[in-house]
Amino acid sequence: MNNKEKFINKVVDLAQKNVLAGKGGPFAAIVVKDNKVISCGYNQVTSKKDPTLHAEIDAIRKAAKKLKTFDLSGCEIFSSCYPCPMCFSAIYWANIKKVYYSATKQTATKYGFKDGKIYNELKNKIKSVKFIEVNIKDSVLPFTEWKNKKDKIKY
């Protein structure tokens, strides 16, 4: 068994244990760097009453804290299932370039998760949530302030 299979087997096992422990959905993720596990994450949406506490988000938060950086370049993420759009966005923002997964987004949809619906909606014009721009004079002010200060921030 190669390392990729070893890590996928580990996340599937962690997801199964998460379900059996009643902590959340059938999802787990690990962040790996240089073939070493940096962090493990678990779906805890129902137990923590937090719709954003998906396994990939949990693993990314823990890895960033452990590595003391928001930039997880050089890391890979292993997930028990193809990431939902929210988790994909977190993976993208963390600069993780490889995602290994086991179950498909179609499997998640088949078992009642919204992944397929959200991915389909993103392909088309978003209809289930109405986005309304409220344009004010100072809407860009935080961005200009950030631009002026970003070179002074130590990462």
Side-chain angles (χ1 to χ4, degrees):
M1 179 183 320
N2 66 36
N3 280 341
K4 307 304 182 209
E5 291 169 336
K6 182 178 85 174
F7 293 138
I8 283 294
N9 280 316
K10 180 178 178 71
V11 293
V12 170
D13 184 54
L14 291 172
Q16 176 72 1
K17 288 177 179 171
N18 195 54
V19 170
L20 293 173
K23 293 183 180 179
F27 307 101
I30 58 174
V31 172
V32 172
K33 186 170 188 174
D34 301 324
N35 281 317
K36 293 182 182 124
V37 174
I38 304 300
S39 64
C40 298
Y42 307 89
N43 178 286
Q44 298 171 71
V45 169
T46 55
S47 63
K48 300 283 186 176
K49 314 277 187 280
D50 180 350
T52 68
L53 198 39
H54 289 203
E56 296 88 345
I57 303 279
D58 189 35
I60 288 168
R61 287 175 180 161
K62 289 173 180 174
K65 185 174 182 177
K66 184 172 184 177
L67 297 174
K68 297 180 174 132
T69 181
F70 66 87
D71 185 349
L72 299 180
S73 295
C75 292
E76 301 173 328
I77 193 163
F78 290 78
S79 180
S80 59
C81 188
Y82 191 94
C84 75
M86 177 181 68
C87 292
F88 163 74
S89 296
I91 291 163
Y92 185 91
W93 279 105
N95 291 314
I96 296 172
K97 302 299 182 200
K98 286 188 181 175
V99 178
Y100 298 91
Y101 65 94
S102 185
T104 65
K105 58 186 168 188
Q106 291 83 5
T107 299
T109 300
K110 177 182 171 184
Y111 284 88
F113 294 92
K114 298 177 185 177
D115 302 48
K117 285 176 113 174
I118 297 169
Y119 273 114
N120 284 336
E121 191 162 343
L122 290 172
K123 281 190 231 175
N124 304 308
K125 187 176 179 188
I126 296 173
K127 296 175 185 171
S128 64
V129 176
K130 190 170 184 173
F131 288 83
I132 304 161
E133 181 181 11
V134 180
N135 197 347
I136 61 169
K137 183 182 106 191
D138 291 335
S139 63
V140 180
L141 185 60
F143 291 92
T144 57
E145 191 65 34
W146 176 80
K147 183 180 178 191
N148 293 334
K149 293 187 180 216
K150 75 175 181 172
D151 294 331
K152 297 173 190 166
I153 298 171
K154 294 190 181 204
Y155 298 108

